[in-house]
Amino acid sequence: MQAFFIGQTYIDVTFLTDRMPTGDEKHVASAYAVSFGGNAVTAAFCCAKLSIAPVLLATVADDWLGRMFLEMATKYGIKIYSRNVGTSSLSFIMPNNGKRAIVRCRDDDYLNTFPNVDLSGCRVLHVDGHQPDAAIYYAKQARAAGILTSLDGGGLRSNTHDLLAFVDVAVVADRLCEQMCLAPAEMLDYLKGRGCRVGGVTLGEHGLLWYDETGVVRSIPALAVPPERIVDTSGAGDVFHGAYVYSYLAAPTRTWAEHFMFARAAAAYKIQRLGNEAGLPALQDIEAIQREFEKP
């Protein structure tokens, strides 16, 4: 095992429609996709698509959606450690003009404690704050073993403040800034104060504001994907995380600026496709994005 991911599993139903029906109306979507979902879960699938299949501790229900998820994981060579729940979680996602509206149906009432996973050989732990007991337990284990710990701070969770004390690389969404009433620059100061060696705030079309091990704050602009080519921005942040984890594993001598620019290209690929699975890039897809959009 080179990488270990921990998160909440969703089945995502993503659809395009010009309007939402009301009352007793019915309306047919113009396109739809059904895929795996969840922050760290999607990041794990991205890492696997890029050729390094991780181990994933994820919620799994004994229902047909849970079995479908396990089949997806097998297809990508991802070993699953299951945290049992009664019902599979769902996300209904409606992309619209570069944004997305989401309704989540979540079961996080765990039926068992988290399993014991041997971290021998692991080089990266990536968590999103879900399964808070498992996230902080393995973050402590990873820190003690010298394993790089990475956090997707997509939103404020019950364990966020405590978990950050054991995180090396924290990349959070602007949503977390809003929830904590912090400007992006203030969020970076907060991450530094919690001891994160590398920190960043993803700002959608405005790119990434971040700092490296020296503490110097800098920015990486988003790639200029034409608006008419943007189909679905949901999952782009998750792909970004999975791609920088892969980059760190595949090329550990690269700088974090290089890891994040690689991940930026992966996210630019994702937003041009509907659904998480269709939006997972292969290495040649990232190279094509870099050739098209990055300046020489």
Side-chain angles (χ1 to χ4, degrees):
M1 168 174 66
Q2 292 195 62
F4 182 33
F5 289 61
I6 302 174
Q8 174 86 19
T9 304
Y10 288 89
I11 298 299
D12 283 4
V13 180
T14 308
F15 60 95
L16 299 178
T17 181
D18 56 356
R19 65 183 180 86
M20 287 295 291
T22 59
D24 288 330
E25 286 186 295
K26 294 181 181 179
H27 190 61
V28 177
S30 59
Y32 69 95
V34 179
S35 183
F36 47 79
N39 304 96
V41 170
T42 301
F45 275 83
C46 176
C47 191
K49 179 66 178 285
L50 289 168
S51 78
I52 298 180
V55 170
L56 174 60
L57 170 53
T59 52
V60 179
D62 184 17
D63 57 24
W64 69 274
L65 289 172
R67 290 186 286 276
M68 182 175 72
F69 170 72
L70 292 176
E71 289 179 5
M72 293 176 185
T74 299
K75 173 184 174 182
Y76 283 84
I78 298 172
K79 179 178 176 59
I80 298 293
Y81 283 88
S82 297
R83 188 79 180 270
N84 297 332
V85 291
T87 306
S88 290
S89 298
L90 291 164
S91 291
F92 298 92
I93 304 167
M94 186 176 70
N96 184 27
N97 295 322
K99 307 294 183 183
R100 72 275 194 270
I102 303 175
V103 175
R104 296 201 191 282
C105 307
R106 179 167 66 216
D107 182 356
D108 55 6
D109 184 11
Y110 311 123
L111 302 180
N112 61 325
T113 188
F114 57 84
N116 183 29
V117 179
D118 183 3
L119 297 184
S120 298
C122 184
R123 295 168 55 203
V124 179
L125 169 70
H126 180 71
V127 300
D128 61 12
H130 287 295
Q131 300 195 56
D133 52 351
I136 200 160
Y137 173 83
Y138 283 108
K140 290 178 179 179
Q141 295 291 313
R143 171 61 61 84
I147 298 167
L148 184 84
T149 53
S150 167
L151 172 70
D152 175 354
L156 185 62
R157 314 204 192 283
S158 61
N159 63 342
T160 299
H161 184 78
D162 294 335
L163 182 58
L164 282 167
F166 304 96
V167 169
D168 298 307
V169 179
V171 179
V172 309
D174 53 357
R175 176 169 172 259
L176 182 62
C177 297
E178 294 170 1
Q179 291 174 319
M180 296 183 64
C181 300
L182 295 175
E186 294 173 322
M187 175 59 74
L188 296 186
D189 289 337
Y190 169 71
L191 296 177
K192 289 178 183 179
R194 296 305 294 152
C196 303
R197 293 194 293 111
V198 177
V201 179
T202 55
L203 302 168
E205 66 270 25
H206 302 296
L208 175 74
L209 186 70
W210 71 290
Y211 65 87
D212 63 12
E213 297 92 336
T214 68
V216 176
V217 175
R218 59 197 73 192
S219 63
I220 297 176
L223 295 178
V225 178
E228 63 273 14
R229 287 172 58 178
I230 297 174
V231 176
D232 174 21
T233 59
S234 66
D238 308 329
V239 166
F240 183 89
H241 286 275
Y244 77 63
V245 169
Y246 167 81
S247 181
Y248 173 82
L249 292 168
T253 59
R254 288 179 181 165
T255 65
W256 278 100
E258 291 172 306
H259 295 320
F260 289 150
M261 285 189 287
F262 178 86
R264 173 183 67 170
Y269 179 87
K270 164 64 192 78
I271 64 176
Q272 299 180 68
R273 285 149 183 90
L274 186 66
N276 287 334
E277 185 166 23
L280 296 183
L283 286 173
Q284 60 266 31
D285 298 319
I286 293 178
E287 292 167 356
I289 290 288
Q290 290 171 326
R291 287 194 300 271
E292 180 176 6
F293 292 105
E294 293 185 3
K295 295 178 181 179

